Amino acid sequence: MNTNIIRSDRVREEYQVIKHPSGLTICLYPMKGFTSAYALFAAKYGSVDVTFKTDEDTEFVSVPEGIAHYLEHKLFENDDCDAFQLFAKTGANANAYTSFDKTAYLFSCSQHFEKNLEILLNFVQEPYFTEESVAKEQGIIGQEIKMYEDEPGWRVFFNGLRTLYHKNPVRIDIAGTSESIAKIDKELLYRCYKTFYNLNNMVLSIAGSFDVRKTLEICDRLLKPTPDLGLEAVFPDEPEEVKKSETVQKLTCSMPIFNVFFKLPAFEGEENTRKYVIYNIILETILGKTSAFYDELLNDGLINSNFTVGVLNGRGFFTLTADGESSEPRKVFEEIKKALLQAKGGNLSEKEFENVRKKTYGELISMLGSVSAVATNMMEAHFHGNNMFDIIEITANLSYQDIISTLAEFNEENSCISIIEPI
């Protein structure tokens, strides 16, 4: 077993990253003084992974959108019961989620950790699909898709991604479409499971109160070794420019809601993390709730307290976002672009940048006191190809000049707005 100790001299913390003989990467962060534990068993597999090949394939294979989310639903079931029933008996809180680029199964508990870990490792490694259960799930997920078709907050977001991207699969709802899930059958589910739930493409991330020795004994006993299949997932070539500048849909809501997107190229590894930190600080400094921009638009009645900014990033995509409610969303869009342009021209306070950087650093340090945040951040860092402490170091060492240099390359016009107007 190959074990690396990841240390941070800055925060005086460390965790283990173990390459298990089964092929699985295991991240362990025991936290003294805590009474609960949090575990994630995750695959580097999300809704964007619809075109791929392995060493066993001669050509790339394309599968229907939504199949990663479909698999997540089905894995909780086996021929006897579902995993939620097993976790309920131990008192653990269990859940799962599929995002654009990952699928995670998790539990948190304050007792019976070893038993809960056994349940987690067993059900994720034991798929059970029948034609009948697959057909039943199509109806359930179909209803879920229809429900979100009328949800304004969901629609404004995905309408925006479809407006931003020409071809990138991030533009498709994570659950897929009614048409795409109708193409999913038992054979396709097993095919994608075998490809992406290979232990070489997964990570087990645990933080909190647990016994490392007992945890590894359980892993040795239950993990089923799998050969590395040489998995390669690809994305279609995506033009640099946005597809359209605006999209509008009418739904039932009290006032117009909007989502603004700025399109950037995708980044990988440490550069992805670095750009994520830089652009989050840029957005918070220029547009965030402590900025002059926010106060001015709030006082003018153009936005309300629901206005937020952020970065959406992952494998194959990277975009900046701003969203909220406004009676004049197009005017807000223009004011956002104007504020970013002025910042590029030198209208950016170094003092305000430093305040936001320190606040961001403090938030990152405070997350070290949360078992769920630590486990999640270890998983995220592993899938990005770096370690959990890198984002803290990047934030600590970020300079005002780093912000200015990044802004100089930023094109605020390569953007779009998605609007939901009241019926």
Side-chain angles (χ1 to χ4, degrees):
M1 217 176 316
N2 184 7
T3 302
N4 288 324
I5 305 298
I6 309 299
R7 293 188 177 90
S8 170
D9 293 334
R10 183 178 299 277
V11 298
R12 297 180 181 178
E13 293 281 344
E14 66 180 39
Y15 67 97
Q16 299 180 43
V17 176
I18 299 164
K19 187 63 175 179
H20 192 265
S22 63
L24 181 68
T25 296
I26 304 172
C27 300
L28 302 178
Y29 199 128
M31 299 168 68
K32 294 180 180 179
F34 285 75
T35 58
S36 63
Y38 194 96
L40 284 154
F41 196 13
K44 191 177 180 181
Y45 179 40
S47 64
V48 299
D49 296 303
V50 292
T51 303
F52 58 88
K53 73 183 292 290
T54 68
D55 293 340
E56 298 176 352
D57 302 309
T58 55
E59 297 180 350
F60 279 93
V61 177
S62 292
V63 296
E65 291 97 354
I67 199 164
H69 173 258
Y70 208 111
L71 259 175
E72 176 222 313
H73 274 230
K74 294 306 302 168
L75 270 190
F76 272 101
E77 299 178 6
N78 59 35
D79 56 347
D80 295 324
C81 62
D82 67 51
F84 282 120
Q85 294 173 329
L86 299 176
F87 281 120
K89 292 178 181 179
T90 67
N93 292 317
N95 210 337
Y97 63 87
T98 303
S99 69
F100 292 117
D101 59 357
K102 68 185 71 67
T103 304
Y105 304 85
L106 59 96
F107 72 82
S108 62
C109 67
S110 55
Q111 55 185 347
H112 307 304
F113 173 80
E114 287 83 12
K115 179 60 179 176
N116 289 317
L117 181 60
E118 290 178 356
I119 295 170
L120 179 67
L121 296 184
N122 277 326
F123 87 81
V124 175
Q125 292 185 97
E126 295 178 356
Y128 177 75
F129 314 132
T130 65
E131 296 292 353
E132 293 77 15
S133 67
V134 171
K136 178 183 176 183
E137 200 65 41
Q138 282 177 341
I140 294 171
I141 296 178
Q143 288 298 317
E144 183 180 329
I145 291 170
K146 288 180 181 179
M147 178 181 68
Y148 282 117
E149 284 176 353
D150 296 324
E151 206 288 302
W154 190 261
R155 286 273 54 86
V156 73
F157 177 70
F158 277 100
N159 290 352
L161 288 178
R162 288 193 182 96
T163 307
L164 189 72
Y165 287 102
H166 298 252
K167 301 177 182 179
N168 194 303
V170 74
R171 64 195 299 274
I172 305 298
D173 288 33
I174 290 171
T177 64
S178 297
E179 293 76 20
S180 69
I181 66 167
K183 302 173 185 176
I184 296 173
D185 57 25
K186 182 179 73 171
E187 285 69 31
L188 268 177
L189 288 175
Y190 275 118
R191 171 66 188 274
C192 290
Y193 177 87
K194 178 184 175 184
T195 300
F196 289 98
Y197 284 73
N198 182 297
L199 291 182
N200 293 279
N201 193 53
M202 301 183 72
V203 64
L204 175 63
S205 182
I206 305 173
S209 175
F210 65 97
D211 186 295
V212 171
R213 181 183 60 81
K214 291 180 180 179
T215 296
L216 292 177
E217 286 176 354
I218 292 170
C219 290
D220 290 341
R221 177 164 48 87
L222 297 182
L223 291 176
K224 303 172 182 178
T226 51
D228 192 337
L229 297 177
L231 173 60
E232 182 183 359
V234 297
F235 306 105
D237 292 333
E238 176 67 34
E240 289 184 12
E241 70 279 0
V242 301
K243 184 180 180 182
K244 294 190 300 181
S245 60
E246 179 180 304
T247 184
V248 181
Q249 183 180 1
K250 291 185 181 293
L251 288 172
T252 302
C253 55
S254 59
M255 70 182 298
I257 62 175
F258 67 89
N259 212 316
V260 171
F261 294 88
F262 296 90
K263 189 177 185 180
L264 283 84
F267 305 101
E268 296 181 359
E270 186 177 342
E271 183 67 6
N272 186 310
T273 305
R274 181 173 175 79
K275 292 293 188 183
Y276 174 81
V277 172
I278 289 174
Y279 277 112
N280 260 306
I281 290 178
I282 284 174
L283 291 175
E284 285 296 331
T285 303
I286 300 170
L287 309 174
K289 284 183 165 57
T290 60
S291 68
F293 166 90
Y294 180 85
D295 287 341
E296 183 178 336
L297 266 64
L298 192 65
N299 291 333
D300 290 345
L302 284 173
I303 61 173
N304 57 30
S305 59
N306 291 327
F307 180 79
T308 60
V309 294
V311 176
L312 175 68
N313 67 319
R315 280 185 293 115
F317 60 93
F318 195 105
T319 177
L320 315 185
T321 68
D323 61 86
E325 302 171 334
S326 177
S327 57
E328 299 182 68
R330 293 175 183 86
K331 186 171 183 180
V332 175
F333 185 25
E334 293 305 316
E335 290 297 323
I336 289 172
K337 290 191 289 184
K338 178 182 174 182
L340 291 167
L341 181 62
Q342 289 175 343
K344 284 172 62 175
N347 184 25
L348 182 68
S349 165
E350 185 169 358
K351 180 180 178 181
E352 289 176 8
F353 150 73
E354 190 60 28
N355 287 338
V356 172
R357 186 194 67 80
K358 289 179 179 178
K359 177 176 177 287
T360 303
Y361 179 81
E363 290 170 349
L364 291 171
I365 296 300
S366 69
M367 285 196 295
L368 295 176
S370 163
V371 293
S372 60
V374 169
T376 302
N377 290 343
M378 287 193 296
M379 177 217 27
E380 295 272 4
H382 171 71
F383 284 153
H384 282 303
N386 46 32
N387 74 67
M388 190 186 77
F389 299 128
D390 285 342
I391 192 169
I392 294 175
E393 285 299 315
I394 291 168
T395 305
N397 295 317
L398 201 64
S399 70
Y400 178 71
Q401 189 55 49
D402 292 327
I403 301 296
I404 298 301
S405 300
T406 302
L407 271 173
E409 302 169 354
F410 176 67
N411 178 11
E412 71 283 350
E413 293 299 331
N414 197 28
S415 54
C416 69
I417 183 170
S418 172
I419 303 170
I420 299 294
E421 295 178 343
I423 294 176

